[in-house]
Amino acid sequence: MIRWLPAELHCHTFHSDGKQSLLELAEAARSLGLEAVALTDHNTMTGLTGREEVTAATGVEVIPGLEWTTFFGHMLTLGITEYVDWRNLSPFHIHRGIEGVHRQGGLVGVAHPFRVGSPMCTGCFWEFEVSDWNEVDYVEVWSGLFPSIRRNNARAFALWTDLLNRGHRIAATSGRDWHVSDPVPEPVSATYLGLSAETQASAGLAGAALEALRRGRVAVSMGPRPELFLTTAEGHRCGLGDEVSLPAGGRPEATVTAGVDFTARAGHWELPGGTLQMRLMSNRGELASVALTRVRPQAELTLDMSGVAWLRGELTGVFCGAHTMIGFTNPVYVD
């Protein structure tokens, strides 16, 4: 059984350049229907003091993290217990830092890779040379408020797609880069992490969230949560981040279930239109598109999976006065 946890994975407090305490951050997250936040202050972990007390007071899980803030790019590090020094990282040696995070069982993600850099934001534009993208756990493809309409995010989304097409199995997330807990008029995106009950029982909520991100069991949305499943002719059902094997001979087909969970963060977003479109995208391009509504929140169709290496769903519709992508799933992978 998978539980979907709405989270914000890029947050700051006054321990770096934020204007909020950890308690204020968690209270604001709860008011937005979020159940977890990752504290990623710039180059410090001191803001995590009192983390357990904040979670107990608000019910919002605090995932420990840190944002390496360098002249050559910002990298999010999640799940670490000890500070990993980034100061010896040249543009050609990012993997030394990544190895230090992975030794602790943590995850690394590229933050806002195409945001305008210096002098507007020192190091915000990603310039590190990544020699092996398999070592990077995720890319923050949506950054900021109303992320789907930002040009820099379109470039980040295209980077992720290119990495998938090159055979890398890398997750994609959203990150508000949250600094102030004041109310905002623009829509907020959530990263949904699919938690297994077994992992949560053994590793706790934060551990299960990190494992979901590591596996690519992730969906992102400003509104309802998009869903995607793939079922083989033998009845094997796979979800986000899973790998499915299809027969090599003949015409490999699979049943694809595309859906929308309209209960996700209900009350924190509005949809004026009654119909949404789910585009089924792959390394072969768009394979199909299905219409989904509150009355018909799921659709099944049989697809020819010849040559498909990955499949994801992209949910589009009218949102906050714009026809835009509302959310997307991470891929199901095909062997």
Side-chain angles (χ1 to χ4, degrees):
M1 185 67 180
I2 300 298
R3 171 196 170 194
W4 289 95
L5 181 82
E8 170 52 59
L9 300 179
H10 190 163
C11 305
H12 299 279
T13 68
F14 53 63
H15 285 259
S16 59
D17 62 343
K19 296 182 180 179
Q20 56 192 346
S21 68
L22 183 58
L23 178 60
E24 290 169 334
L25 168 64
E27 288 174 339
R30 181 179 60 186
S31 72
L32 291 172
L34 300 170
E35 298 177 26
V37 294
L39 183 57
T40 54
D41 273 322
H42 297 285
N43 300 332
T44 182
M45 298 178 69
T46 58
L48 289 164
T49 302
R51 167 189 166 216
E52 293 80 5
E53 291 81 358
V54 168
T55 294
T58 63
V60 174
E61 184 70 20
V62 179
I63 300 169
L66 177 147
E67 183 178 8
W68 287 340
T69 308
T70 81
F71 290 110
F72 312 112
H74 294 189
M75 175 163 272
L76 301 167
T77 65
L78 302 182
I80 56 176
T81 56
E82 298 179 6
Y83 183 85
V84 177
D85 200 347
W86 53 268
R87 290 171 297 179
N88 63 344
L89 301 179
S90 76
F92 311 104
H93 297 98
I94 187 65
H95 286 278
R96 291 195 307 214
I98 292 173
E99 289 166 6
V101 174
H102 285 167
R103 277 196 298 269
Q104 294 188 40
L107 304 180
V108 297
V110 176
H112 45 65
F114 295 105
R115 185 179 295 178
V116 176
S118 298
M120 294 181 64
C121 179
T122 300
C124 281
F125 190 90
W126 184 261
E127 295 182 276
F128 280 108
E129 181 179 294
V130 178
S131 59
D132 185 0
W133 279 97
N134 292 318
E135 297 298 314
V136 177
D137 299 295
Y138 66 100
V139 176
E140 187 182 79
V141 300
W142 274 10
S143 177
L145 299 170
F146 209 161
S148 67
I149 65 173
R150 296 174 178 261
R151 289 185 179 182
N152 61 307
N153 289 335
R155 294 183 67 187
F157 201 87
L159 168 65
W160 176 47
T161 301
D162 180 61
L163 290 170
L164 294 175
N165 287 339
R166 287 157 52 188
H168 300 289
R169 298 188 176 185
I170 185 168
T173 67
S174 67
R176 177 174 171 178
D177 203 353
W178 199 355
H179 287 75
V180 182
S181 54
D182 295 342
V184 293
E186 297 177 275
V188 172
S189 178
T191 297
Y192 290 87
L193 303 171
L195 279 56
S196 73
E198 296 81 4
T199 305
Q200 186 171 339
S202 61
L205 189 60
L210 292 171
E211 179 60 21
L213 181 53
R214 182 181 288 110
R215 290 174 57 93
R217 196 185 294 132
V218 180
V220 171
S221 182
M222 300 182 292
R225 177 176 58 85
E227 301 178 316
L228 185 68
F229 301 95
L230 194 152
T231 306
T232 67
E234 296 76 23
H236 184 51
R237 182 177 169 95
C238 294
L240 307 184
D242 292 339
E243 178 184 84
V244 60
S245 295
L246 296 176
R251 177 177 172 175
E253 292 184 339
T255 300
V256 175
T257 304
V260 179
D261 178 8
F262 286 98
T263 68
R265 291 182 63 237
H268 297 285
W269 45 265
E270 295 181 1
L271 281 174
T275 302
L276 301 175
Q277 292 292 323
M278 178 80 87
R279 301 173 65 207
L280 300 177
M281 305 298 296
S282 74
N283 54 296
R284 282 175 39 200
E286 182 175 333
L287 299 184
S289 179
V290 295
L292 301 171
T293 66
R294 292 181 186 272
V295 176
R296 183 177 178 261
Q298 269 195 355
E300 281 192 358
L301 59 164
T302 300
L303 294 182
D304 175 10
M305 301 299 289
S306 301
V308 173
W310 57 268
L311 180 72
R312 72 174 178 232
E314 297 179 4
L315 188 66
T316 63
V318 177
F319 197 80
C320 291
H323 189 277
T324 185
M325 189 189 301
I326 298 170
F328 59 89
T329 73
N330 272 242
V332 178
Y333 297 98
V334 181
D335 180 12

